[in-house]
């Protein structure tokens, strides 16, 4: 293997030769130029076999009347939904304001403790 000579470099092993492989250059059909290409024929449905058509009898499908009425989707009350949305947003804003109030109270109490610690004792 060491004495084996590589001709053509790395990509030579990827090239197809006419001798090696399952396909040869002569077996491929040449592609005609664009002006000489035949137009494709539309797919034609096969003609039904008359012996099969007479042996199979198709029964028509009849829709059975339903005793229960067809129920549609429930109607959504948009005014009530909008009212619920507004109430929910109001509750969220109120809870966020409480969080901000608690944070500011804690911060001010911490600052008061720091300031009291820095004052000289009398």
């Amino acid at each position: 293997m060491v004495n084996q000579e590589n001709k053509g470099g790395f990509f030579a092993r990827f090239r197809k030769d006419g001798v090696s492989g399952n396909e040869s250059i002569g077996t491929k059909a040449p592609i005609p130029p664009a002006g000489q290409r035949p137009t494709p024929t539309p797919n034609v449905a096969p003609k039904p076999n008359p012996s099969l058509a007479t042996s199979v009898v198709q029964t028509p499908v009849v829709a059975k009347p339903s005793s229960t009425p067809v129920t549609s989707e429930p109607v959504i009350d948009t005014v009530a939904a909008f009212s619920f949305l507004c109430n929910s947003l109001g509750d969220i804003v109120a809870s966020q304001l409480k969080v901000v109030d608690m944070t500011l109270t804690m911060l001010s109490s911490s600052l008061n403790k720091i300031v009291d610690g820095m004052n000289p004792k009398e």
Side-chain angles (χ1 to χ4, degrees), residues 43-111:
N43 293 339
V44 179
K47 295 180 181 179
N49 191 350
S51 63
L52 290 177
T54 56
S55 63
V56 177
V57 177
Q58 296 180 352
T59 58
V61 177
V62 178
K64 296 179 182 178
S66 177
S67 61
T68 60
V70 177
T71 58
S72 63
E73 295 182 15
V75 179
I76 298 173
D77 186 13
T78 56
V79 174
F82 185 72
S83 175
F84 179 74
L85 174 69
C86 290
N87 289 336
S88 299
L89 289 176
D91 293 341
I92 290 171
V93 169
S95 67
Q96 292 296 318
L97 286 175
K98 286 180 185 177
V99 168
V100 168
D101 182 47
M102 288 176 15
T103 305
L104 290 176
T105 304
M106 185 176 61
L107 182 63
S108 66
S109 66
S110 297
L111 287 175

